[in-house]
Short mmCIF file of all heavy atoms in Angstrom, two decimals:
data_model
loop_
_atom_site.label_atom_id
_atom_site.label_comp_id
_atom_site.label_asym_id
_atom_site.label_seq_id
_atom_site.Cartn_x
_atom_site.Cartn_y
_atom_site.Cartn_z
N VAL A 328 94.53 90.43 90.43
CA VAL A 328 94.30 91.84 90.66
C VAL A 328 93.40 92.46 89.56
O VAL A 328 92.41 93.07 89.80
CB VAL A 328 95.68 92.67 90.83
CG1 VAL A 328 95.28 94.15 90.77
CG2 VAL A 328 96.38 92.17 92.02
N VAL A 329 93.81 92.21 88.31
CA VAL A 329 93.12 92.80 87.21
C VAL A 329 91.67 92.22 87.03
O VAL A 329 90.84 92.97 86.60
CB VAL A 329 94.01 92.55 85.91
CG1 VAL A 329 93.35 93.14 84.66
CG2 VAL A 329 95.43 93.08 86.07
N GLU A 330 91.56 91.05 87.26
CA GLU A 330 90.21 90.39 87.12
C GLU A 330 89.29 90.56 88.27
O GLU A 330 88.23 89.98 88.31
CB GLU A 330 90.41 88.89 86.68
CG GLU A 330 90.95 88.84 85.30
CD GLU A 330 91.23 87.27 84.98
OE1 GLU A 330 90.97 86.42 85.85
OE2 GLU A 330 91.63 87.08 83.79
N ASP A 331 89.83 91.24 89.32
CA ASP A 331 88.95 91.42 90.50
C ASP A 331 87.85 92.53 90.14
O ASP A 331 88.16 93.68 90.11
CB ASP A 331 89.77 91.96 91.70
CG ASP A 331 89.06 91.96 92.97
OD1 ASP A 331 87.79 91.95 92.88
OD2 ASP A 331 89.54 92.04 94.07
N GLU A 332 86.68 92.08 89.94
CA GLU A 332 85.58 93.02 89.45
C GLU A 332 85.18 94.04 90.58
O GLU A 332 84.48 95.00 90.24
CB GLU A 332 84.36 92.26 88.97
CG GLU A 332 84.59 91.56 87.70
CD GLU A 332 83.37 91.56 86.79
OE1 GLU A 332 82.30 91.78 87.30
OE2 GLU A 332 83.47 91.14 85.62
N ARG A 333 85.67 93.77 91.80
CA ARG A 333 85.30 94.75 92.88
C ARG A 333 86.10 96.06 92.61
O ARG A 333 85.65 97.19 92.90
CB ARG A 333 85.64 94.15 94.21
CG ARG A 333 84.75 92.96 94.51
CD ARG A 333 85.21 92.21 95.80
NE ARG A 333 86.67 91.87 95.72
CZ ARG A 333 87.21 91.24 96.69
NH1 ARG A 333 86.56 90.89 97.76
NH2 ARG A 333 88.50 90.89 96.65
N PHE A 334 87.33 95.92 92.04
CA PHE A 334 88.17 97.10 91.91
C PHE A 334 88.39 97.44 90.36
O PHE A 334 88.74 98.59 90.14
CB PHE A 334 89.45 96.93 92.61
CG PHE A 334 89.25 96.83 94.10
CD1 PHE A 334 89.30 95.60 94.83
CD2 PHE A 334 88.80 97.92 94.82
CE1 PHE A 334 89.05 95.55 96.01
CE2 PHE A 334 88.66 97.85 96.22
CZ PHE A 334 88.67 96.65 96.81
N TYR A 335 88.10 96.48 89.48
CA TYR A 335 88.04 96.79 88.13
C TYR A 335 86.67 96.37 87.61
O TYR A 335 86.58 95.31 86.98
CB TYR A 335 89.11 96.08 87.33
CG TYR A 335 90.47 96.73 87.77
CD1 TYR A 335 91.23 96.03 88.73
CD2 TYR A 335 91.08 97.83 87.03
CE1 TYR A 335 92.54 96.62 89.17
CE2 TYR A 335 92.25 98.33 87.46
CZ TYR A 335 93.01 97.70 88.52
OH TYR A 335 94.24 98.26 88.83
N PRO A 336 85.70 97.24 87.90
CA PRO A 336 84.23 96.82 87.56
C PRO A 336 83.99 96.46 86.02
O PRO A 336 84.75 97.05 85.22
CB PRO A 336 83.38 97.90 88.06
CG PRO A 336 84.26 99.08 88.39
CD PRO A 336 85.71 98.57 88.43
N SER A 337 83.07 95.65 85.83
CA SER A 337 82.88 95.24 84.47
C SER A 337 82.29 96.46 83.58
O SER A 337 81.78 97.40 84.22
CB SER A 337 81.74 94.16 84.48
OG SER A 337 80.57 94.65 84.93
N PRO A 338 82.43 96.43 82.22
CA PRO A 338 82.00 97.51 81.46
C PRO A 338 80.51 97.86 81.74
O PRO A 338 80.12 99.03 81.66
CB PRO A 338 82.23 97.07 79.96
CG PRO A 338 83.28 96.03 80.14
CD PRO A 338 83.08 95.38 81.53
N GLU A 339 79.66 96.89 81.90
CA GLU A 339 78.29 97.11 82.13
C GLU A 339 77.99 98.00 83.40
O GLU A 339 77.23 98.98 83.41
CB GLU A 339 77.31 95.83 82.28
CG GLU A 339 77.41 94.78 81.15
CD GLU A 339 78.54 93.72 81.45
OE1 GLU A 339 78.13 92.91 82.20
OE2 GLU A 339 79.56 93.85 80.89
N LEU A 340 78.71 97.63 84.36
CA LEU A 340 78.60 98.34 85.68
C LEU A 340 79.18 99.80 85.47
O LEU A 340 78.75 100.84 85.98
CB LEU A 340 79.17 97.61 86.83
CG LEU A 340 79.08 98.24 88.18
CD1 LEU A 340 77.58 98.40 88.55
CD2 LEU A 340 79.70 97.39 89.32
N THR A 341 80.42 99.84 84.89
CA THR A 341 81.04 101.16 84.70
C THR A 341 80.16 102.16 84.07
O THR A 341 80.26 103.32 84.38
CB THR A 341 82.32 100.91 83.81
OG1 THR A 341 82.98 99.67 84.25
CG2 THR A 341 83.34 101.96 84.05
N LYS A 342 79.22 101.65 83.15
CA LYS A 342 78.38 102.52 82.41
C LYS A 342 77.49 103.26 83.43
O LYS A 342 76.93 104.34 83.10
CB LYS A 342 77.55 101.77 81.45
CG LYS A 342 78.03 101.95 79.99
CD LYS A 342 77.20 101.16 79.07
CE LYS A 342 77.91 100.27 78.22
NZ LYS A 342 77.16 99.13 77.65
N LYS A 343 77.18 102.57 84.56
CA LYS A 343 76.21 103.14 85.54
C LYS A 343 76.91 104.05 86.52
O LYS A 343 76.32 104.68 87.31
CB LYS A 343 75.60 102.07 86.29
CG LYS A 343 74.54 101.30 85.48
CD LYS A 343 73.86 100.35 86.31
CE LYS A 343 72.91 99.45 85.50
NZ LYS A 343 72.64 98.23 86.25
N LEU A 344 78.26 104.12 86.39
CA LEU A 344 79.00 104.97 87.41
C LEU A 344 79.12 106.34 86.84
O LEU A 344 79.24 106.63 85.69
CB LEU A 344 80.52 104.45 87.57
CG LEU A 344 80.60 102.97 88.12
CD1 LEU A 344 81.91 102.46 88.18
CD2 LEU A 344 79.92 102.95 89.56
#
Side-chain angles (χ1 to χ4, degrees):
Chain A
V328 172
V329 181
E330 286 176 0
D331 188 343
E332 287 214 349
R333 297 174 301 185
F334 297 104
Y335 291 92
S337 65
E339 302 97 79
L340 185 58
T341 318
K342 262 184 228 152
K343 289 186 186 158
L344 300 176

